[in-house]
């Protein structure tokens, strides 16, 4: 089966949702299921600079005095799923170059690996995912030919009218939004299989 995921590597909820999806997909594959993941690009902040700036500063501008509390709450939620979200390290930058890498990786069968590495780079390692050196490193670690002539196509996302991420679109029409549990994703995988 095919699942299309709309996400942005600068979105913490996308990180958590994708992680849960991936865990469910691994369980489903271990049961003998086959699932192909396709990614549709979305930018939370399309006007962000490629130069990057500390995400903490952006959060302070956007959320004001509650920024620290909100990020601490999310970091605690993520930690319960085994994720090390370091908002104090994260570099807020334009994610268009990262989406181009995801498109190349997906075309080469390494989309899931590249997305996982990009999330780690952004939220755990504090690396600028718009920087060419970071993208080359992620491409190399995911086995992707970074020079391949593939770029992210934002048209499908626009046609779907997506306004928030993450969004998971299953081939039977099932839609899951947000960072649901691995069990919710596994139920969706099995439901598509039964409905065939």
């Amino acid at each position: 089966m095919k699942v299309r995921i709309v996400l942005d590597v600068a979105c913490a909820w996308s990180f958590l949702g994708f992680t849960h999806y991936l865990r469910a997909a691994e369980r489903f594959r271990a049961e003998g299921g086959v699932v192909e993941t396709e990614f549709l690009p979305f930018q939370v902040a399309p006007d962000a600079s490629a130069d990057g700036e500390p995400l903490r500063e952006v959060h302070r501008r956007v959320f004001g005095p509650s920024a620290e509390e909100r990020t601490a709450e999310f970091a605690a939620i993520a930690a319960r799923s085994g994720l090390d979200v370091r908002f104090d390290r994260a570099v807020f930058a334009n994610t268009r170059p990262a989406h181009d890498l995801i498109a190349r990786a997906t075309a080469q069968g390494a989309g899931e690996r590249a997305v996982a590495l990009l999330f780690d780079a952004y939220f755990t390692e504090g690396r600028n995912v718009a920087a060419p050196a970071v993208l080359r490193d992620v491409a190399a670690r995911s086995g992707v030919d970074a020079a391949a002539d593939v770029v992210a196509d934002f048209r499908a996302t626009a046609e779907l009218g997506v306004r928030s991420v993450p969004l998971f679109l299953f081939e039977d029409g099932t839609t899951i939004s947000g960072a649901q549990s691995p069990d919710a994703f596994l139920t969706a995988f099995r439901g598509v299989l039964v409905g065939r």
Side-chain angles (χ1 to χ4, degrees), residues 146-169:
D149 190 21
V150 179
V151 294
D153 183 357
F154 285 79
R155 287 176 300 181
T157 309
E159 288 169 6
L160 289 168
V162 177
R163 291 192 171 21
S164 64
V165 289
L167 182 65
F168 303 82
L169 307 164

Side-chain angles (χ1 to χ4, degrees), residues 43-191:
Q43 288 188 282
V44 173
D47 297 327
S49 165
D51 295 333
E53 66 176 306
L55 181 59
R56 256 193 172 153
E57 297 304 318
V58 175
H59 282 162
R60 285 186 184 123
R61 281 198 308 270
V62 173
F63 302 121
S66 68
E68 293 290 329
E69 182 180 337
R70 291 174 73 151
T71 56
E73 286 173 4
F74 181 86
I77 291 168
R80 289 195 290 274
S81 287
L83 298 179
D84 181 18
V85 175
R86 300 292 306 269
F87 289 111
D88 59 323
R89 291 183 183 172
V91 177
F92 181 75
N94 194 299
T95 57
R96 179 70 186 244
H99 284 297
D100 289 341
L101 174 57
I102 292 167
R104 286 191 291 278
T106 301
Q108 297 172 43
E112 290 178 359
R113 175 82 174 135
V115 169
L117 289 170
L118 284 164
F119 275 128
D120 283 341
Y122 189 96
F123 284 105
T124 304
E125 299 165 3
R127 300 173 78 191
N128 180 343
V129 297
V134 172
L135 296 170
R136 283 193 302 272
D137 176 59
V138 170
R141 289 168 56 204
S142 54
V144 172
D145 176 3
D149 190 21
V150 179
V151 294
D153 183 357
F154 285 79
R155 287 176 300 181
T157 309
E159 288 169 6
L160 289 168
V162 177
R163 291 192 171 21
S164 64
V165 289
L167 182 65
F168 303 82
L169 307 164
F170 290 75
E171 67 181 34
D172 70 343
T174 299
T175 301
I176 295 178
S177 62
Q180 303 300 319
S181 70
D183 286 340
F185 287 113
L186 190 58
T187 297
F189 287 134
R190 291 172 177 160

